[in-house]
Short mmCIF file of all heavy atoms in Angstrom, two decimals:
data_model
loop_
_atom_site.label_atom_id
_atom_site.label_comp_id
_atom_site.label_asym_id
_atom_site.label_seq_id
_atom_site.Cartn_x
_atom_site.Cartn_y
_atom_site.Cartn_z
N TYR A 1 -5.01 -11.53 -0.26
CA TYR A 1 -5.26 -12.55 0.74
C TYR A 1 -6.67 -13.10 0.60
O TYR A 1 -7.57 -12.45 0.04
CB TYR A 1 -5.04 -12.00 2.16
CG TYR A 1 -5.98 -10.89 2.58
CD1 TYR A 1 -7.16 -11.16 3.28
CD2 TYR A 1 -5.68 -9.55 2.32
CE1 TYR A 1 -8.02 -10.15 3.69
CE2 TYR A 1 -6.51 -8.53 2.72
CZ TYR A 1 -7.69 -8.83 3.40
OH TYR A 1 -8.53 -7.81 3.80
N LEU A 2 -6.84 -14.32 1.09
CA LEU A 2 -8.15 -14.94 1.15
C LEU A 2 -8.82 -14.57 2.46
O LEU A 2 -8.18 -14.51 3.52
CB LEU A 2 -8.04 -16.47 1.06
CG LEU A 2 -7.61 -17.05 -0.28
CD1 LEU A 2 -7.41 -18.56 -0.15
CD2 LEU A 2 -8.64 -16.76 -1.36
N ALA A 3 -10.13 -14.32 2.40
CA ALA A 3 -10.90 -13.99 3.59
C ALA A 3 -12.23 -14.72 3.53
O ALA A 3 -12.73 -15.05 2.44
CB ALA A 3 -11.13 -12.48 3.69
N ASP A 4 -12.81 -14.96 4.68
CA ASP A 4 -14.14 -15.58 4.69
C ASP A 4 -15.20 -14.51 4.47
O ASP A 4 -14.88 -13.33 4.28
CB ASP A 4 -14.36 -16.38 5.98
CG ASP A 4 -14.33 -15.51 7.24
OD1 ASP A 4 -14.52 -14.27 7.14
OD2 ASP A 4 -14.13 -16.07 8.33
N ALA A 5 -16.45 -14.92 4.52
CA ALA A 5 -17.55 -14.00 4.21
C ALA A 5 -17.75 -12.94 5.28
O ALA A 5 -18.52 -12.00 5.08
CB ALA A 5 -18.85 -14.79 4.01
N GLN A 6 -17.06 -13.08 6.41
CA GLN A 6 -17.10 -12.04 7.45
C GLN A 6 -15.90 -11.09 7.33
O GLN A 6 -15.76 -10.18 8.15
CB GLN A 6 -17.10 -12.68 8.85
CG GLN A 6 -18.41 -13.37 9.22
CD GLN A 6 -18.63 -14.65 8.44
OE1 GLN A 6 -17.74 -15.50 8.34
NE2 GLN A 6 -19.82 -14.80 7.88
N GLY A 7 -15.06 -11.34 6.36
CA GLY A 7 -13.89 -10.49 6.15
C GLY A 7 -12.67 -10.95 6.91
O GLY A 7 -11.62 -10.30 6.85
N ASN A 8 -12.74 -12.07 7.63
CA ASN A 8 -11.62 -12.56 8.42
C ASN A 8 -10.52 -13.12 7.52
O ASN A 8 -10.79 -13.89 6.59
CB ASN A 8 -12.08 -13.65 9.39
CG ASN A 8 -13.12 -13.14 10.37
OD1 ASN A 8 -12.95 -12.07 10.96
ND2 ASN A 8 -14.20 -13.88 10.54
N HIS A 9 -9.30 -12.74 7.82
CA HIS A 9 -8.15 -13.17 7.03
C HIS A 9 -7.96 -14.68 7.18
O HIS A 9 -7.90 -15.21 8.29
CB HIS A 9 -6.91 -12.42 7.53
CG HIS A 9 -5.66 -12.67 6.75
ND1 HIS A 9 -4.93 -13.83 6.84
CD2 HIS A 9 -4.99 -11.89 5.86
CE1 HIS A 9 -3.88 -13.76 6.05
NE2 HIS A 9 -3.90 -12.59 5.44
N LEU A 10 -7.85 -15.39 6.04
CA LEU A 10 -7.63 -16.83 6.07
C LEU A 10 -6.20 -17.19 5.71
O LEU A 10 -5.58 -18.02 6.37
CB LEU A 10 -8.59 -17.52 5.09
CG LEU A 10 -10.08 -17.39 5.38
CD1 LEU A 10 -10.90 -18.05 4.27
CD2 LEU A 10 -10.44 -18.00 6.73
N ALA A 11 -5.68 -16.61 4.63
CA ALA A 11 -4.32 -16.93 4.20
C ALA A 11 -3.84 -15.89 3.21
O ALA A 11 -4.63 -15.34 2.43
CB ALA A 11 -4.29 -18.32 3.54
N TRP A 12 -2.55 -15.61 3.25
CA TRP A 12 -1.96 -14.72 2.25
C TRP A 12 -1.86 -15.45 0.91
O TRP A 12 -1.48 -16.62 0.85
CB TRP A 12 -0.56 -14.27 2.67
CG TRP A 12 -0.52 -13.24 3.73
CD1 TRP A 12 -0.09 -13.40 5.02
CD2 TRP A 12 -0.89 -11.87 3.61
NE1 TRP A 12 -0.19 -12.22 5.71
CE2 TRP A 12 -0.68 -11.26 4.87
CE3 TRP A 12 -1.40 -11.10 2.56
CZ2 TRP A 12 -0.94 -9.91 5.10
CZ3 TRP A 12 -1.67 -9.76 2.79
CH2 TRP A 12 -1.45 -9.18 4.04
N VAL A 13 -2.21 -14.75 -0.14
CA VAL A 13 -1.93 -15.22 -1.49
C VAL A 13 -0.61 -14.61 -1.96
O VAL A 13 0.27 -15.31 -2.46
CB VAL A 13 -3.08 -14.85 -2.45
CG1 VAL A 13 -2.73 -15.23 -3.88
CG2 VAL A 13 -4.37 -15.53 -2.01
N GLU A 14 -0.46 -13.31 -1.81
CA GLU A 14 0.80 -12.61 -2.04
C GLU A 14 0.94 -11.56 -0.94
O GLU A 14 0.29 -10.52 -0.98
CB GLU A 14 0.83 -11.92 -3.42
CG GLU A 14 0.93 -12.85 -4.61
CD GLU A 14 2.30 -13.50 -4.76
OE1 GLU A 14 3.20 -13.21 -3.93
OE2 GLU A 14 2.46 -14.29 -5.70
N GLN A 15 1.77 -11.83 0.06
CA GLN A 15 1.96 -10.84 1.12
C GLN A 15 2.76 -9.65 0.62
O GLN A 15 2.54 -8.52 1.03
CB GLN A 15 2.64 -11.47 2.33
CG GLN A 15 2.66 -10.54 3.55
CD GLN A 15 3.12 -11.24 4.80
OE1 GLN A 15 3.52 -12.41 4.77
NE2 GLN A 15 3.06 -10.55 5.93
N ASN A 16 3.72 -9.93 -0.27
CA ASN A 16 4.46 -8.86 -0.94
C ASN A 16 5.04 -7.85 0.04
O ASN A 16 5.00 -6.63 -0.19
CB ASN A 16 3.55 -8.15 -1.95
CG ASN A 16 4.33 -7.50 -3.08
OD1 ASN A 16 5.48 -7.81 -3.32
ND2 ASN A 16 3.69 -6.56 -3.76
N ALA A 17 5.56 -8.34 1.17
CA ALA A 17 6.09 -7.46 2.21
C ALA A 17 7.36 -6.78 1.73
O ALA A 17 8.22 -7.41 1.08
CB ALA A 17 6.35 -8.26 3.48
N LEU A 18 7.51 -5.53 2.07
CA LEU A 18 8.70 -4.77 1.69
C LEU A 18 9.82 -5.05 2.69
O LEU A 18 10.14 -4.23 3.55
CB LEU A 18 8.37 -3.27 1.63
CG LEU A 18 7.48 -2.84 0.46
CD1 LEU A 18 7.13 -1.36 0.58
CD2 LEU A 18 8.15 -3.13 -0.87
N GLU A 19 10.40 -6.21 2.56
CA GLU A 19 11.47 -6.63 3.45
C GLU A 19 12.66 -7.05 2.60
O GLU A 19 12.61 -7.01 1.37
CB GLU A 19 10.99 -7.79 4.34
CG GLU A 19 10.43 -8.96 3.55
CD GLU A 19 9.71 -9.97 4.41
OE1 GLU A 19 9.31 -9.62 5.55
OE2 GLU A 19 9.54 -11.11 3.96
N ASP A 20 13.75 -7.46 3.27
CA ASP A 20 14.94 -7.88 2.54
C ASP A 20 14.57 -8.92 1.49
O ASP A 20 13.85 -9.88 1.77
CB ASP A 20 15.98 -8.45 3.50
CG ASP A 20 16.61 -7.37 4.37
OD1 ASP A 20 16.44 -6.19 4.03
OD2 ASP A 20 17.25 -7.71 5.38
N GLY A 21 15.08 -8.75 0.29
CA GLY A 21 14.77 -9.67 -0.79
C GLY A 21 13.71 -9.17 -1.73
O GLY A 21 13.62 -9.65 -2.87
N HIS A 22 12.88 -8.22 -1.28
CA HIS A 22 11.90 -7.63 -2.19
C HIS A 22 12.61 -6.74 -3.19
O HIS A 22 13.55 -6.01 -2.83
CB HIS A 22 10.86 -6.82 -1.40
CG HIS A 22 9.67 -6.42 -2.22
ND1 HIS A 22 9.71 -5.39 -3.14
CD2 HIS A 22 8.39 -6.91 -2.26
CE1 HIS A 22 8.52 -5.27 -3.70
NE2 HIS A 22 7.70 -6.17 -3.19
N PRO A 23 12.21 -6.76 -4.47
CA PRO A 23 12.91 -5.95 -5.47
C PRO A 23 12.97 -4.46 -5.15
O PRO A 23 13.91 -3.77 -5.56
CB PRO A 23 12.11 -6.21 -6.76
CG PRO A 23 11.44 -7.53 -6.54
CD PRO A 23 11.15 -7.60 -5.07
N TYR A 24 11.97 -3.98 -4.39
CA TYR A 24 11.94 -2.54 -4.09
C TYR A 24 12.71 -2.21 -2.81
O TYR A 24 12.96 -1.04 -2.53
CB TYR A 24 10.50 -2.08 -3.97
CG TYR A 24 10.32 -0.57 -3.96
CD1 TYR A 24 10.66 0.19 -5.07
CD2 TYR A 24 9.82 0.10 -2.84
CE1 TYR A 24 10.50 1.57 -5.08
CE2 TYR A 24 9.65 1.48 -2.84
CZ TYR A 24 10.00 2.21 -3.96
OH TYR A 24 9.84 3.57 -3.96
N ALA A 25 13.10 -3.22 -2.05
CA ALA A 25 13.74 -2.99 -0.75
C ALA A 25 14.97 -2.08 -0.85
O ALA A 25 15.15 -1.20 0.02
CB ALA A 25 14.10 -4.32 -0.11
N PRO A 26 15.83 -2.23 -1.85
CA PRO A 26 16.99 -1.34 -1.91
C PRO A 26 16.65 0.13 -2.09
O PRO A 26 17.52 0.99 -1.88
CB PRO A 26 17.77 -1.87 -3.14
CG PRO A 26 17.32 -3.28 -3.31
CD PRO A 26 15.88 -3.27 -2.90
N HIS A 27 15.42 0.42 -2.46
CA HIS A 27 15.03 1.81 -2.73
C HIS A 27 14.14 2.40 -1.64
O HIS A 27 13.68 3.53 -1.76
CB HIS A 27 14.33 1.88 -4.08
CG HIS A 27 15.10 1.25 -5.19
ND1 HIS A 27 16.21 1.82 -5.76
CD2 HIS A 27 14.94 0.04 -5.81
CE1 HIS A 27 16.69 1.01 -6.70
NE2 HIS A 27 15.95 -0.06 -6.74
N LEU A 28 13.90 1.62 -0.58
CA LEU A 28 12.99 2.09 0.47
C LEU A 28 13.51 3.34 1.16
O LEU A 28 12.73 4.21 1.55
CB LEU A 28 12.76 0.99 1.50
CG LEU A 28 11.70 -0.05 1.15
CD1 LEU A 28 11.67 -1.15 2.21
CD2 LEU A 28 10.33 0.60 1.04
N ALA A 29 14.81 3.42 1.34
CA ALA A 29 15.37 4.56 2.08
C ALA A 29 15.07 5.89 1.40
O ALA A 29 14.97 6.93 2.06
CB ALA A 29 16.87 4.38 2.25
N SER A 30 14.92 5.86 0.08
CA SER A 30 14.64 7.11 -0.64
C SER A 30 13.17 7.24 -1.04
O SER A 30 12.81 8.18 -1.74
CB SER A 30 15.52 7.20 -1.89
OG SER A 30 15.20 6.17 -2.81
N HIS A 31 12.34 6.27 -0.62
CA HIS A 31 10.91 6.33 -0.97
C HIS A 31 10.28 7.56 -0.34
O HIS A 31 10.42 7.81 0.86
CB HIS A 31 10.20 5.07 -0.49
CG HIS A 31 8.73 5.06 -0.81
ND1 HIS A 31 8.25 4.64 -2.02
CD2 HIS A 31 7.64 5.44 -0.09
CE1 HIS A 31 6.94 4.73 -2.03
NE2 HIS A 31 6.54 5.22 -0.87
N ARG A 32 9.55 8.31 -1.13
CA ARG A 32 8.93 9.54 -0.65
C ARG A 32 7.43 9.34 -0.50
O ARG A 32 6.77 8.80 -1.40
CB ARG A 32 9.21 10.69 -1.63
CG ARG A 32 10.68 10.98 -1.81
CD ARG A 32 11.29 11.53 -0.54
NE ARG A 32 10.69 12.80 -0.20
CZ ARG A 32 10.67 13.33 1.03
NH1 ARG A 32 11.18 12.66 2.05
NH2 ARG A 32 10.13 14.50 1.23
N PRO A 33 6.84 9.75 0.61
CA PRO A 33 5.41 9.57 0.84
C PRO A 33 4.57 10.52 0.00
O PRO A 33 5.04 11.59 -0.41
CB PRO A 33 5.25 9.87 2.33
CG PRO A 33 6.34 10.85 2.62
CD PRO A 33 7.51 10.43 1.75
N ALA A 34 3.35 10.13 -0.26
CA ALA A 34 2.40 11.00 -0.96
C ALA A 34 1.65 11.84 0.06
O ALA A 34 1.45 11.45 1.21
CB ALA A 34 1.42 10.17 -1.77
N ARG A 35 1.25 12.99 -0.37
CA ARG A 35 0.36 13.83 0.44
C ARG A 35 -0.84 14.19 -0.43
O ARG A 35 -0.72 14.35 -1.65
CB ARG A 35 1.07 15.07 0.96
CG ARG A 35 1.70 15.92 -0.13
CD ARG A 35 2.88 16.72 0.39
NE ARG A 35 3.99 15.85 0.71
CZ ARG A 35 4.52 15.78 1.93
NH1 ARG A 35 4.04 16.50 2.92
NH2 ARG A 35 5.54 14.98 2.15
N TYR A 36 -1.99 14.26 0.18
CA TYR A 36 -3.25 14.48 -0.52
C TYR A 36 -3.90 15.75 0.00
O TYR A 36 -3.76 16.12 1.16
CB TYR A 36 -4.19 13.29 -0.31
CG TYR A 36 -3.62 11.97 -0.76
CD1 TYR A 36 -2.84 11.20 0.12
CD2 TYR A 36 -3.81 11.50 -2.05
CE1 TYR A 36 -2.30 9.99 -0.28
CE2 TYR A 36 -3.27 10.29 -2.46
CZ TYR A 36 -2.51 9.54 -1.57
OH TYR A 36 -1.97 8.35 -1.97
N GLY A 37 -4.65 16.39 -0.88
CA GLY A 37 -5.36 17.59 -0.47
C GLY A 37 -6.43 17.95 -1.47
O GLY A 37 -6.69 17.20 -2.43
N THR A 38 -7.07 19.09 -1.25
CA THR A 38 -8.11 19.55 -2.17
C THR A 38 -7.89 21.00 -2.53
O THR A 38 -7.31 21.77 -1.75
CB THR A 38 -9.52 19.40 -1.57
OG1 THR A 38 -9.63 20.21 -0.38
CG2 THR A 38 -9.83 17.96 -1.23
N ILE A 39 -8.33 21.35 -3.72
CA ILE A 39 -8.47 22.75 -4.11
C ILE A 39 -9.89 22.90 -4.65
O ILE A 39 -10.58 21.91 -4.90
CB ILE A 39 -7.44 23.17 -5.17
CG1 ILE A 39 -7.67 22.38 -6.47
CG2 ILE A 39 -6.02 22.99 -4.65
CD1 ILE A 39 -6.84 22.87 -7.63
N LYS A 40 -10.31 24.12 -4.84
CA LYS A 40 -11.61 24.36 -5.46
C LYS A 40 -11.49 24.34 -6.98
O LYS A 40 -10.51 24.80 -7.54
CB LYS A 40 -12.18 25.72 -5.01
CG LYS A 40 -12.57 25.77 -3.54
CD LYS A 40 -13.66 24.75 -3.20
CE LYS A 40 -14.05 24.82 -1.74
NZ LYS A 40 -15.03 23.74 -1.37
N ALA A 41 -12.49 23.77 -7.61
CA ALA A 41 -12.54 23.76 -9.06
C ALA A 41 -12.74 25.17 -9.58
O ALA A 41 -12.95 26.12 -8.82
CB ALA A 41 -13.68 22.85 -9.53
N ALA A 42 -12.70 25.30 -10.89
CA ALA A 42 -12.89 26.61 -11.50
C ALA A 42 -14.26 27.21 -11.19
O ALA A 42 -14.45 28.42 -11.31
CB ALA A 42 -12.69 26.52 -13.01
N ASP A 43 -15.23 26.34 -10.78
CA ASP A 43 -16.54 26.88 -10.42
C ASP A 43 -16.55 27.49 -9.03
O ASP A 43 -17.57 28.05 -8.60
CB ASP A 43 -17.62 25.80 -10.53
CG ASP A 43 -17.41 24.63 -9.57
OD1 ASP A 43 -16.48 24.67 -8.73
OD2 ASP A 43 -18.19 23.66 -9.65
N GLY A 44 -15.44 27.38 -8.28
CA GLY A 44 -15.34 27.95 -6.95
C GLY A 44 -16.08 27.18 -5.87
O GLY A 44 -16.07 27.59 -4.71
N VAL A 45 -16.70 26.07 -6.24
CA VAL A 45 -17.53 25.32 -5.29
C VAL A 45 -17.04 23.89 -5.12
O VAL A 45 -16.90 23.39 -3.99
CB VAL A 45 -19.01 25.30 -5.77
CG1 VAL A 45 -19.86 24.45 -4.85
CG2 VAL A 45 -19.55 26.72 -5.86
#
């Protein structure tokens, strides 16, 4: 999207909304979310 110098939204360039007609829409029902986390590196820190 286009925004002004204050970050205000001016216009969509590609909204790419996941709605009917989007190529990925038929697969949304099986879309699996990501989960994020941390472990300690081999240095233990």
Side-chain angles (χ1 to χ4, degrees):
Y1 64 93
L2 290 174
D4 63 20
Q6 288 72 48
N8 299 313
H9 185 285
L10 297 176
W12 285 110
V13 175
E14 289 288 359
Q15 189 170 5
N16 205 19
L18 289 175
E19 55 192 19
D20 289 346
H22 191 284
Y24 193 64
H27 308 285
L28 277 175
S30 64
H31 180 84
R32 300 293 296 157
R35 56 206 70 240
Y36 302 88
T38 62
I39 64 172
K40 292 299 181 185
D43 63 4
V45 176

